[in-house]
Amino acid sequence: MNYEELKTLTSQFLPLSDSQIEAFKKYAVLLREWNAKFNLTAITEESEVVEKHFYDCLLPFKSIKFENINAIDLGSGAGFPGLVFAIAMPTWNITLVDSTNKKCTFLKEAAKELGLTNVTVINARAEELGMRGQFDLVSARAVAPLYLLLELAMPLLKVNGTFLSMKGSKAEEEIKEAKDAFRKLDCKVVSMNTESLPNDVGTRSNIVIKKIKETNKKYPRTWGEMQKHHL
Ligand code: SAH
């Protein structure tokens, strides 16, 4: 996929300006430069970056429409979807969290180079963040199974806040597997949008989940507890 195609394919649900397209081009260059040193992502070929990172991370805008919110992206890695959201949505304040220091170094540098003033980067484990009830939106792509992500995400959200879980082809199974977690963490699925990426590169499901009430203070537990005793 090239940038013209990116612009055309997203125009129906998230029109991108020329300066936003320029920002994506610059982001791809930074990714390639830093990847040579730090091995940040397996995908570096530009047409693949455009499709599997940028386009993929813009697809959620088919399901969510928010302005002026506080958002947080857990396990942001090289900035997916968090940094893409920061470029796409200038009215959002977005916090990017990753437990790996070198990824955070890249994220800070990339935000600076791209002139993004709506980004804060925190090098921490999501379950040790604190920051309860502060966010309107939590996002995560490719970080952990859904039942575990729910335990990381719910405490961070305001009541009625949204958790966007970006999943591949196993989304339905993950929702079933998380049945008890949904109940214990007082949240529910509001919608799920599934589509194939162009060029046969796979299926994506964006699951929109809503926090119904205040999360029990015993969550999140430690990472070890979460692994040992699945909700
Ligand atoms: N979201 C990115 C990266 C996925 S890889 C993408 O889709 O491309 C998973 C990332 O989550 C890694 O960068 C890893 O360091 C981070 N991570 C894993 N567990 C975490 C936790 N508990 N808290 C914060 N970051 C975590």
Side-chain angles (χ1 to χ4, degrees), residues 40-41 53 56-57 73-82 97-100 103 124-127 140-144 152 223:
L40 297 167
T41 160
H53 284 328
D56 186 32
C57 292
D73 185 36
L74 305 180
S76 205
F80 304 111
V97 179
D98 204 283
S99 53
T100 306
K103 301 213 166 141
R125 296 198 60 87
E127 66 276 18
R141 186 184 84 164
V143 177
L152 298 179
W223 190 252

Side-chain angles (χ1 to χ4, degrees), residues 31-201:
L31 203 54
R32 193 169 55 239
E33 284 172 3
W34 280 68
N35 215 51
K37 294 179 276 183
F38 281 145
N39 197 21
L40 297 167
T41 160
I43 301 168
T44 50
E45 206 266 305
E46 190 154 20
S47 65
E48 274 195 279
V49 169
V50 175
E51 178 159 3
K52 295 184 186 169
H53 284 328
F54 300 157
Y55 180 64
D56 186 32
C57 292
L58 292 169
L59 277 176
F61 293 102
K62 287 193 171 187
S63 317
I64 55 169
K65 302 262 179 272
F66 299 119
E67 295 287 344
N68 304 306
I69 59 164
N70 261 334
I72 184 165
D73 185 36
L74 305 180
S76 205
F80 304 111
L83 215 46
V84 173
F85 288 179
I87 294 169
M89 301 303 290
T91 70
W92 292 14
N93 269 319
I94 180 146
T95 301
L96 313 179
V97 179
D98 204 283
S99 53
T100 306
N101 187 44
K102 67 175 185 181
K103 301 213 166 141
C104 293
T105 305
F106 169 74
L107 292 170
K108 280 182 200 156
E109 189 60 27
K112 196 168 112 198
E113 290 281 324
L114 295 170
L116 296 168
T117 53
N118 57 342
V119 173
T120 307
V121 178
I122 303 182
N123 180 202
R125 296 198 60 87
E127 66 276 18
E128 293 169 4
L129 266 182
M131 305 182 96
R132 294 185 86 84
Q134 295 191 16
F135 298 94
D136 305 285
L137 178 77
V138 176
S139 59
R141 186 184 84 164
V143 177
L146 184 60
Y147 63 83
L148 229 152
L149 288 175
L150 292 176
E151 186 165 349
L152 298 179
M154 287 310 134
L156 299 167
L157 284 174
K158 299 175 185 171
V159 173
N160 287 324
T162 298
F163 172 42
L164 169 73
S165 177
M166 299 175 64
K167 289 291 183 185
S169 55
K170 301 264 177 354
E172 291 278 8
E173 287 97 313
E174 290 209 35
I175 291 173
K176 283 198 190 104
E177 186 188 29
K179 191 167 163 277
D180 291 341
F182 275 105
R183 186 172 46 78
K184 290 176 183 163
L185 292 157
D186 298 298
C187 54
K188 64 170 186 196
V189 175
V190 179
S191 69
M192 180 164 94
N193 177 44
T194 301
E195 34 196 300
S196 304
L197 291 176
N199 308 315
D200 271 345
V201 296

